[in-house]
Amino acid sequence: MENKKFTPEEEERMVTKAYQEMLSGYLQSNHRKKMEIIERAFKFAREAHKGVRRRSGEPYILHPIAVARIVSQEIGLGSTSICAALLHDVVEDTDYTVEDIESQFGKKIAQIVDGLTKISGGIFGDRASAQAENFRKLLLTMNNDIRVILIKMADRLHNMRTLGSMLPSKQYKIAGETLYIYAPLAHRLGLFAIKTELEDLSFKYEHPEIYKQINEQIAATAGHRNEVYEKFAAPVRERLAAMGLKYEMTARVKSAYSIWNKMEAKHIPFEEVYDLYAARIVFKCDNEADEKKLCWNIYSEITDLYRLHPDRTRDWLSTPKANGYRALHLTVMGPDGNWIEVQIRSEKMNEMAERGFAAHWKYKIGEGEEESELASWLKTIQDILDNPEPNALDFLDTIKLNLFSSEIVIFTPKGELVTLPVGATVLDVAFYLHSEIGTHCIAGKVNHKLVPLSQKLQSGDQVEVLTSHSQQPQPEWINFLATAKGKTRLRAALRRDRRAVIERGEKDFAAFLNQYGLEPDNNVVNKVLAMEHLQHRDDLFFMIGCNEIALSDSMIVRLKGKQQASGSLLSKILRNPFANKSKNVDAEPTITTVPDSIDKKQTYVLTSENGVSNYIIAPCCHPIPGDDVVGYIDDDRHVIVHKLTCPNAMRLKSSFGGRLLSTKWDNKREKFLASIHIEGIDRMGILQELIYIISTNMAINIRGLNITANEGVFSCELTVLVEDTNVVTALCKQVKKVKGVNSAARMN
């Protein structure tokens, strides 16, 4: 569709149709109808973007109209937001100013457009520091008017829906930053429908083959799934009808992205993902006071019919999630012997679940419960903004902690309720209460029992924090914290007394350089500062002292340069992180060449022949041919290859989009190491049988084998030399046929 030509008449029809569809949705909403100002905003934006086209060849004005439609129909905002959405790119892309917008449309619309302009071009720039600063601006605007981020979310959703016309490298960058920040932000704002679509679209562009395959499998199993669901639903409907309820009961299939996540996390094929769908009951309730009682009445009727899973009931009626989500979830055994989750909600709860409480902000409903929930979350974010990390990527990671986490609820000794992420510790509670309590925390009492400050908490725990004036914060405490607030406050406390850390970092840096015959003079320190995008040597030494910057062999390669390093040293440095992991261990030491030129618009072919490669395998994820991978050009123009799913690749995609390369493996295959985890029931001779199948039947070279057995169950870590992922898949399939083997899957 790229650069498609349209006649003026076709363009006019397209624009008119899109605008009328947006308007008709607005006219069906509950908002007061302010047609005149929307009409003026549309004409103003159309004139401002006259003659401009998107990459697809369509008139640019179609994008603001689409964003306005999402804002109105999918998020539920009114005329002010629709006007701001129509005008959101005018100041950024044309000669008009914010003052022009204010004179035409008033102060409020101008403020929102101004907020959107400040964070334009996506949150993320090519440099991490710019990225973090833009994201900080975005969060600050949320305090002024939450509609800024809601319109930005609509803008990103439309960009993702039209991502097909972009270059592959741009698709990776935009999909990566969407998964890294926008989807978690949508989740935290309660925009579940948008969050799910953003995840699925990102998945579609990052893993097109797997995305297509899972959707085909969902479609292929639809008939059987519907049959099972109808058997399950029929008796439930009878019970609900007898209660006299007005309700709707539907089966909601998991998204392709969430199914794939489960397959990856549990190392299972599609066929073993049993909870493919959840049943949802949405009932009408005119009296809000009766909602909770009706939810539990429905729960009672369902558990009379089906066996309840004792550990999978979730009561978000009494204690809603931090993003305002309220519902009652239970899991019961279905007629086919598989577990089925049932979600019970009133119509109001369902509206909140799909659109989020952000849409009910004070400009619409005034002071209320939803506002206090959002205000509480923004207050936590403000803590991080007041103490930004010196390292831009750490700043983003800290924010992300606060965006996307499952939650637990704990109680203080006075019975006050505190919502924390899963994995939170006593130390998190201490820092949540106050910075001083956190820095002087020595231990805690959980349910009146003494525990260390690193103790992880469970939902429902009562927690008391114990302190001592002699206690001082320690850098290793960072490993005990799961909350963004805790990490931010600890780092702030450490920075206040960081001289000792700086001295330790300086000493470690000098000792590290000494191993390679280098001195920590100004020239070397300045080079490392540039590599790490830092300005001050104290910041560098502090981050080394806190283990936030790794002293790795690749740093030496970049410092010495390829010409200055001796052949043996260069070979050692380039091989060391990967030699025992990903490269052919039977081959000569691999030398990595630097390409003469790289065309980012073309797909980069990963070649390796006679011990010479034009890429480096990332040591964090060890991709092999057949994996979906992305290339990253480092400061020395080496192409580093990561799996698309690698957490480090996620950070690179969201921070250094301009350095990404669309890549593919060539057809000449060297051999790579792959690790496989096997579990099963122990029996005499099972090890010999496994070795026979792998080595003799499949002629695969085993390079490592570690097997342990305990009380009749065995676990095996197997390392083999393979050409690509197809060999690994075939191997796992054969191993699972061995009597007693329960699972065999490649380890990430």
Side-chain angles (χ1 to χ4, degrees):
M1 192 171 172
E2 187 178 338
N3 296 326
K4 187 175 179 182
K5 303 288 184 187
F6 297 97
T7 66
E9 293 76 19
E10 284 176 325
E11 288 192 0
E12 180 64 34
R13 281 198 298 273
M14 288 164 68
V15 173
T16 303
K17 181 172 181 281
Y19 179 62
Q20 289 303 324
E21 284 173 352
M22 184 274 289
L23 272 187
S24 66
Y26 170 66
L27 290 170
Q28 290 169 30
S29 72
N30 297 326
H31 292 276
R32 285 174 295 160
K33 307 302 178 281
K34 296 183 179 178
M35 296 295 297
E36 186 270 334
I37 194 168
I38 293 176
E39 186 71 29
R40 277 199 295 117
F42 166 64
K43 287 177 179 174
F44 189 96
R46 187 173 190 180
E47 185 59 32
H49 295 301
K50 192 173 183 180
V52 182
R53 283 172 177 72
R54 302 194 86 203
R55 189 176 176 83
S56 61
E58 296 173 331
Y60 191 85
I61 187 63
L62 288 175
H63 170 63
I65 293 171
V67 174
R69 183 178 178 178
I70 294 167
V71 159
S72 170
Q73 295 173 30
E74 297 183 45
I75 301 180
L77 302 181
S79 58
T80 302
S81 300
I82 290 171
C83 291
L86 289 168
L87 300 164
H88 79 273
D89 279 334
V90 167
V91 176
E92 164 78 7
D93 295 340
T94 75
D95 294 331
Y96 287 105
T97 65
V98 175
E99 288 73 24
D100 295 329
I101 302 290
E102 186 172 341
S103 67
Q104 293 277 336
F105 301 98
K107 191 170 184 179
K108 181 47 73 179
I109 289 173
Q111 281 177 342
I112 296 174
V113 172
D114 187 34
L116 287 159
T117 304
K118 283 175 181 168
I119 53 171
S120 60
I123 289 172
F124 305 94
D126 287 337
R127 289 170 59 246
S129 56
Q131 168 201 24
E133 186 51 38
N134 281 335
F135 191 52
R136 193 161 180 267
K137 285 179 188 171
L138 170 73
L139 294 167
L140 286 168
T141 60
M142 292 172 70
N143 281 333
N144 299 329
D145 197 320
I146 197 70
R147 286 175 288 193
V148 173
I149 186 58
L150 295 175
I151 296 167
K152 188 66 191 169
M153 201 66 72
D155 179 41
R156 174 49 56 120
L157 180 57
H158 185 247
N159 283 336
M160 286 299 296
R161 286 174 176 173
T162 56
L163 197 56
S165 59
M166 302 292 283
L167 293 169
S169 58
K170 285 281 187 187
Q171 290 177 352
Y172 286 145
K173 175 188 182 295
I174 294 169
E177 67 189 28
T178 298
L179 264 186
Y180 193 74
I181 291 290
Y182 281 98
L185 196 49
H187 170 85
R188 177 53 81 176
L189 293 171
L191 302 168
F192 289 105
I194 288 177
K195 169 223 161 195
T196 302
E197 188 175 351
L198 287 175
E199 287 175 339
D200 255 25
L201 288 169
S202 298
F203 178 44
K204 174 183 176 181
Y205 287 104
E206 291 201 330
H207 304 277
E209 291 302 318
I210 304 172
Y211 175 83
K212 183 183 173 190
Q213 185 183 343
I214 288 177
N215 277 305
E216 285 173 352
Q217 287 173 306
I218 290 171
T221 56
H224 173 69
R225 201 168 53 246
N226 290 340
E227 190 180 314
V228 172
Y229 170 72
E230 284 307 319
K231 280 184 188 173
F232 169 79
V236 176
R237 289 195 183 108
E238 283 180 24
R239 294 288 186 112
L240 297 182
M243 288 172 66
L245 277 182
K246 291 182 180 175
Y247 71 95
E248 187 177 345
M249 184 173 177
T250 54
R252 181 176 168 275
V253 181
K254 272 180 180 282
S255 68
Y257 176 75
S258 62
I259 290 171
W260 177 71
N261 252 351
K262 188 155 222 173
M263 289 165 62
E264 287 288 294
K266 297 199 169 185
H267 302 298
I268 56 174
F270 177 88
E271 294 72 27
E272 290 178 29
V273 180
Y274 295 119
D275 54 342
L276 274 179
Y277 67 89
R280 180 176 295 164
I281 297 167
V282 179
F283 61 88
K284 190 175 180 61
C285 180
D286 296 326
N287 184 358
E288 203 172 318
D290 293 336
E291 285 181 337
K292 189 172 173 183
K293 183 172 70 177
L294 280 172
C295 283
W296 284 109
N297 288 348
I298 294 168
Y299 171 95
S300 178
E301 295 293 340
I302 293 171
T303 51
D304 281 350
L305 290 167
Y306 298 109
R307 179 167 295 178
L308 178 72
H309 191 301
D311 299 324
R312 285 170 64 179
T313 298
R314 300 287 181 266
D315 173 14
W316 284 304
L317 302 171
S318 310
T319 52
K321 286 188 177 184
N323 57 19
Y325 180 83
R326 291 176 68 228
L328 181 59
H329 291 194
L330 65 151
T331 302
V332 293
M333 181 70 76
D336 63 340
N338 289 318
W339 296 107
I340 295 176
E341 183 184 70
V342 185
Q343 303 167 354
I344 306 170
R345 307 170 178 170
S346 69
E347 285 181 342
K348 184 186 176 186
M349 292 177 198
N350 193 56
E351 169 81 3
M352 293 286 290
E354 294 303 312
R355 291 187 171 180
F357 60 74
H360 303 272
W361 190 236
K362 61 187 172 189
Y363 59 82
K364 187 171 171 185
I365 62 168
E367 295 292 326
E369 182 186 338
E370 291 88 358
E371 182 190 345
S372 65
E373 285 283 1
L374 185 56
S376 169
W377 180 69
L378 288 173
K379 189 168 177 290
T380 304
I381 288 288
Q382 190 65 48
D383 241 38
I384 301 161
L385 299 176
D386 290 341
N387 297 285
E389 300 293 335
N391 181 301
L393 282 174
D394 280 345
F395 171 77
L396 285 165
D397 284 347
T398 305
I399 287 287
K400 195 167 186 295
L401 271 179
N402 218 3
L403 290 178
F404 210 171
S405 55
S406 301
E407 292 154 344
I408 60 171
V409 174
I410 63 103
F411 298 91
T412 67
K414 293 181 180 177
E416 293 167 359
L417 185 147
V418 178
T419 302
L420 296 168
V422 167
T425 62
V426 169
L427 191 58
D428 280 303
V429 177
F431 275 113
Y432 175 88
L433 296 171
H434 197 278
S435 293
E436 286 298 304
I437 296 175
T439 54
H440 295 112
C441 175
I442 54 168
K445 283 187 176 179
V446 174
N447 305 324
H448 310 292
K449 182 183 175 186
L450 192 66
V451 296
L453 51 76
S454 59
Q455 176 74 28
K456 289 188 178 179
L457 304 172
Q458 304 294 323
S459 218
D461 282 345
Q462 187 177 48
V463 183
E464 180 183 351
V465 177
L466 305 179
T467 60
S468 167
H469 286 300
S470 62
Q471 177 72 296
Q472 294 299 319
Q474 305 299 319
E476 56 268 23
W477 285 8
I478 205 79
N479 301 317
F480 304 154
L481 292 166
T483 59
K485 176 180 277 191
K487 292 199 173 196
T488 302
R489 288 184 166 179
L490 173 61
R491 284 178 173 141
L494 290 171
R495 281 198 292 273
R496 286 196 296 269
D497 184 27
R498 67 184 202 151
R499 178 46 52 192
V501 180
I502 289 171
E503 288 173 2
R504 183 168 68 243
E506 189 171 7
K507 190 176 174 182
D508 290 349
F509 184 61
F512 171 72
L513 292 180
N514 188 48
Q515 295 175 44
Y516 296 95
L518 292 174
E519 292 294 327
D521 55 28
N522 283 340
N523 185 37
V524 169
V525 172
N526 287 337
K527 278 186 178 180
V528 178
L529 286 173
M531 286 180 207
E532 301 297 337
H533 307 289
L534 297 171
Q535 291 184 333
H536 305 292
R537 58 169 52 215
D538 276 3
D539 291 338
L540 172 66
F541 296 144
F542 177 75
M543 293 175 75
I544 291 171
C546 289
N547 297 320
E548 293 179 17
I549 289 178
L551 297 173
S552 63
D553 290 336
S554 61
M555 182 185 284
I556 301 295
V557 173
R558 294 160 74 187
L559 277 173
K560 284 204 162 195
K562 190 177 173 186
Q563 293 79 14
Q564 292 173 300
S566 69
S568 59
L569 175 64
L570 177 67
S571 173
K572 173 192 169 191
I573 291 169
L574 285 176
R575 280 190 78 223
N576 187 48
F578 321 114
N580 297 322
K581 299 285 186 179
S582 303
K583 293 295 182 187
N584 184 346
V585 293
D586 292 335
E588 290 298 312
T590 302
I591 296 296
T592 304
T593 61
V594 178
D596 295 329
S597 63
I598 297 174
D599 183 356
K600 293 182 189 172
K601 294 183 179 179
Q602 301 298 321
T603 299
Y604 184 80
V605 180
L606 305 170
T607 62
S608 184
E609 196 167 3
N610 299 324
V612 178
S613 300
N614 68 346
Y615 61 91
I616 295 175
I617 293 288
C620 46
C621 54
H622 311 297
I624 65 175
D627 286 328
D628 290 332
V629 291
V630 63
Y632 167 72
I633 306 168
D634 72 5
D635 289 347
D636 293 319
R637 296 185 54 74
H638 289 115
V639 176
I640 315 293
V641 182
H642 289 266
K643 281 188 191 175
L644 275 174
T645 53
C646 170
N648 288 331
M650 291 281 285
R651 299 172 90 211
L652 292 171
K653 282 182 281 182
S654 60
S655 310
F656 301 101
R659 295 189 178 199
L660 294 185
L661 275 177
S662 171
T663 55
K664 70 175 181 181
W665 303 94
D666 72 345
N667 293 324
K668 297 172 186 172
R669 298 286 166 81
E670 290 203 3
K671 294 205 171 179
F672 296 76
L673 285 173
S675 296
I676 294 166
H677 182 74
I678 306 168
E679 285 183 350
I681 307 299
D682 193 19
R683 63 174 172 81
M684 186 72 73
I686 194 165
L687 179 59
Q688 288 91 331
E689 201 169 327
L690 286 172
I691 292 172
Y692 180 80
I693 284 175
I694 298 163
S695 295
T696 308
N697 280 12
M698 300 188 73
I700 292 173
N701 192 347
I702 297 176
R703 303 314 302 266
L705 183 67
N706 182 18
I707 190 163
T708 57
N710 185 27
E711 296 181 358
V713 175
F714 81 90
S715 175
C716 174
E717 306 292 339
L718 174 71
T719 307
V720 289
L721 213 51
V722 296
E723 290 183 352
D724 57 30
T725 54
N726 291 332
V727 178
V728 177
T729 304
L731 171 58
C732 291
K733 198 171 180 180
Q734 286 300 316
V735 166
K736 281 198 270 192
K737 290 180 180 177
V738 174
K739 182 184 174 186
V741 172
N742 284 351
S743 66
R746 180 179 164 202
M747 295 163 62
N748 290 325

